[in-house]
Amino acid sequence: MDKQYDLIVIGAGSGGVRAARVAANHGAKVAIVEEYRVGGTCVIRGCVPKKLFVYASRFSDMFEVAGSFGWTVDAQFDWPTLVANKDKEIARLEAAYVGALERAGVEIIRDRAVVTGPNGVKLVKGGRELSTRYILVATGGHPRIPHIPGRELGITSNEAFHLETLPHSILIEGGGYVAVEFATIFAGLGVDTTMIYRGDKILRGFDEDLRVGLEAGLQERGIRIIYQTNVRGLQKQGDDILVHFSDEVDAPFGAVMFATGREANSHGIGLAEVGVELHSGGAIKVDKYSQTTVPSIYAVGDVTGRAALTPVAVREGWYVAETLFNNNPLAVDHSQIGTAVFAEPEVGTIGLTETEAATHGDIDVFVTRFRPMINTLTSHPGRMILKLITEAEGDKVLGVHIIGPGAAEMIQLVAIAIGMGATKVDFDRTMAMHPTAGEELVTFKAPSYRYRGGAKV
Ligand code: NDP
């Protein structure tokens, strides 16, 4: 053994970096092993570059309404400029992550790590064996691509951030977060965009009003959505890709993107060999303290399959460090996690959907649909939806669902009230701010409809 550590973190993404920094700040001797770039999916090829691309794509909406506000705009878009500026910002963030780790005294090891025992890690390139009191696996996930002929011709979100040129058209398979966000991006940047989804409505698991509202919003933007169909195979056809669909139709596209979910990076790193148990889908089994079935090995973030969201991974990593090195056992509460989908229109949601809430007891549903003010001088048909679901008795707020401009920012703040157990009375007591969209949440009068005994009345 070359060295003795208190903690070796495998994977320098959101969860791993936070755990390493907090542990080091508590006096632990920490190394973090990363084979790619420091920052993980979120910083390098996820949330951050995605949101920058979403901003870029939204200019086209602004140009569309600009004329109604008296502007004449002659707009040109240059993809390489966007990619280069995005890369510069990602490099800056990566350097900031590295700096923060170094200032905390964490040793950064650029290598691939394999777990060799409850207290052992081997560096694949360097060949060194390291010993440690604890191991934290924070290796994240990767895009899942269906096993179909020609799959290598398609791209995933990983490659979408580095395309040399924008395709003239794109087919995106999937109906989840990544699919709708990238459909928004490509369509907004002028690419002829088609989505194909095996289900009958996008965003499975979200409140129905959000699903229907987003579908309408995407279609208004010119995005075609094909339901209950799969991609069966891909074939090169000149500069295009010929797609064979499950309904026997063939059609060419400039690019094909798979947004068909993600898988945990749990294989090939020695976990099964040392007795770390995995769920059937490959995610690592952990308890509420993120401890695996091997007591000295912990796991946080996407590799655990709990909630594949950066802030959740950060919290899990932080709490592991508190538990192990500050004598302060903390378990993350995964029950009230707000989430946003940065599509156009934007979606923000927290708590129970209407369908879920209706099975839990009697509820009141308050919902409003209107044209956001930015659209009122224009012919843009886009509508906003704000929805509040409360218990009928005690009127505790069970869910808030928003679609439209600023939905994510609104839900972030509503999440504080929900976490505090706010009731409809608390919302009503709050003075409205006018003119905002969010004021609708505190000015609802009678319920739009109710559920009694599970039935809508
Ligand atoms: P999702 O699970 O959200 O969506 C995957 C989609 O692919 C679903 O529509 C699924 O269909 C479909 N699908 C899965 N397997 C196949 C298959 N074999 N053939 C055809 N379709 C298939 O995954 P994403 O990759 O979009 O996102 C992963 C996670 O990352 C999210 O759950 C989220 O936690 C996080 N994320 C968060 C973002 C944010 O906070 N804004 C943005 C991006 C990602 P079905 O519905 O039928 O299962």
Side-chain angles (χ1 to χ4, degrees):
M1 298 288 169
D2 288 333
K3 233 166 188 173
Q4 187 71 44
Y5 294 92
D6 294 313
L7 176 69
I8 292 180
V9 180
I10 306 177
S14 305
V17 166
R18 180 56 59 97
R21 285 174 57 191
V22 176
N25 286 334
H26 287 315
K29 184 167 173 47
V30 184
I32 191 162
V33 189
E34 172 59 58
E35 63 179 336
Y36 184 54
R37 295 176 65 181
V38 172
T41 300
C42 178
V43 173
I44 306 297
R45 47 194 178 191
C47 338
V48 176
K50 180 273 310 285
K51 185 106 186 252
L52 293 173
F53 280 14
V54 169
Y55 280 130
S57 75
R58 284 180 178 164
F59 280 94
S60 53
D61 299 278
M62 295 308 286
F63 296 144
E64 202 184 312
V65 298
S68 306
F69 290 88
W71 289 92
T72 305
V73 181
D74 176 20
Q76 304 294 326
F77 175 68
D78 185 54
W79 169 253
T81 302
L82 172 64
V83 173
N85 288 344
K86 177 265 298 177
D87 286 343
K88 218 184 295 168
E89 173 59 6
I90 300 310
R92 186 190 70 78
L93 287 172
E94 183 180 10
Y97 267 63
V98 169
L101 284 166
E102 286 174 347
R103 279 193 299 280
V106 176
E107 183 185 347
I108 304 172
I109 301 175
R110 308 279 185 166
D111 208 324
R112 179 174 175 80
V114 171
V115 178
T116 51
N119 305 96
V121 165
K122 184 174 176 156
L123 301 177
V124 174
K125 277 192 279 169
R128 279 191 296 156
E129 284 271 357
L130 308 174
S131 71
T132 176
R133 278 169 70 201
Y134 298 106
I135 297 167
L136 177 65
V137 183
T139 45
H142 62 273
R144 182 197 308 126
I145 305 177
H147 291 275
I148 53 162
R151 65 203 285 267
E152 67 285 351
L153 296 173
I155 60 167
T156 67
S157 54
N158 287 351
E159 293 75 39
F161 290 116
H162 297 286
L163 293 176
E164 277 180 20
T165 52
L166 270 183
H168 62 89
S169 66
I170 191 162
L171 176 76
I172 301 178
E173 182 165 38
Y177 284 81
V178 173
V180 297
E181 290 183 343
F182 273 90
T184 293
I185 290 167
F186 283 117
L189 297 181
V191 178
D192 184 4
T193 303
T194 304
M195 291 179 64
I196 173 171
Y197 175 45
R198 63 184 179 183
D200 59 4
K201 208 180 293 157
I202 54 174
L203 288 190
R204 185 166 60 82
F206 282 64
D207 187 86
E208 279 299 302
D209 276 321
L210 299 183
R211 300 176 77 187
V212 173
L214 183 59
E215 176 193 63
L218 294 176
Q219 287 169 339
E220 273 157 24
R221 273 192 138 206
I223 297 167
R224 273 178 302 278
I225 309 180
I226 303 170
Y227 285 117
Q228 294 181 318
T229 312
N230 284 311
V231 173
R232 279 275 169 78
L234 305 180
Q235 210 181 327
K236 198 90 185 109
Q237 187 183 63
D239 289 339
D240 281 348
I241 298 167
L242 185 67
V243 179
H244 307 295
F245 293 101
S246 55
D247 58 1
E248 309 301 330
V249 172
D250 291 350
F253 293 87
V256 176
M257 175 171 168
F258 295 106
T260 41
R262 297 178 63 85
E263 279 170 11
N265 289 333
S266 57
H267 295 290
I269 50 173
L271 296 177
E273 293 80 343
V274 300
V276 172
E277 285 179 25
L278 307 181
H279 292 286
S280 57
I284 299 175
K285 281 188 193 171
V286 288
D287 69 6
K288 63 180 180 170
Y289 297 107
S290 299
Q291 189 176 33
T292 71
T293 46
V294 176
S296 57
I297 303 180
Y298 286 68
V300 296
D302 291 8
V303 76
T304 64
R306 288 176 285 186
L309 298 166
T310 295
V312 177
V314 168
R315 186 68 65 98
E316 289 167 357
W318 165 23
Y319 280 13
V320 166
E322 284 294 315
T323 302
L324 296 180
F325 301 108
N326 199 30
N327 197 23
N328 179 24
L330 289 173
V332 176
D333 176 5
H334 291 90
S335 66
Q336 284 290 11
I337 299 173
T339 178
V341 185
F342 295 100
E344 189 56 45
E346 191 169 280
V347 169
T349 178
I350 186 162
L352 300 181
T353 65
E354 184 178 320
T355 312
E356 288 166 347
T359 63
H360 279 68
D362 292 348
I363 57 165
D364 293 344
V365 180
F366 304 80
V367 55
T368 176
R369 296 176 173 80
F370 57 94
R371 292 177 77 201
M373 202 165 172
I374 183 98
N375 289 346
T376 51
L377 300 191
T378 76
S379 57
H380 197 298
R383 292 173 83 77
M384 181 144 196
I385 304 172
L386 287 99
K387 183 172 184 178
L388 194 68
I389 302 170
T390 71
E391 284 174 344
E393 301 293 333
D395 70 7
K396 185 175 172 197
V397 178
L398 300 174
V400 180
H401 310 287
I402 304 176
I403 183 162
E409 302 291 346
M410 280 187 259
I411 283 294
Q412 175 64 87
L413 299 181
V414 163
I416 302 171
I418 301 283
M420 295 172 75
T423 62
K424 175 74 167 53
V425 173
D426 295 319
F427 273 64
D428 292 346
R429 200 175 38 236
T430 305
M431 194 67 79
M433 264 175 277
H434 188 70
T436 65
E439 68 182 307
E440 299 290 333
L441 288 176
V442 296
T443 52
F444 278 123
K445 298 286 180 285
S448 307
Y449 48 91
R450 302 174 165 86
Y451 283 81
R452 296 292 181 264
K456 190 170 173 180
V457 292

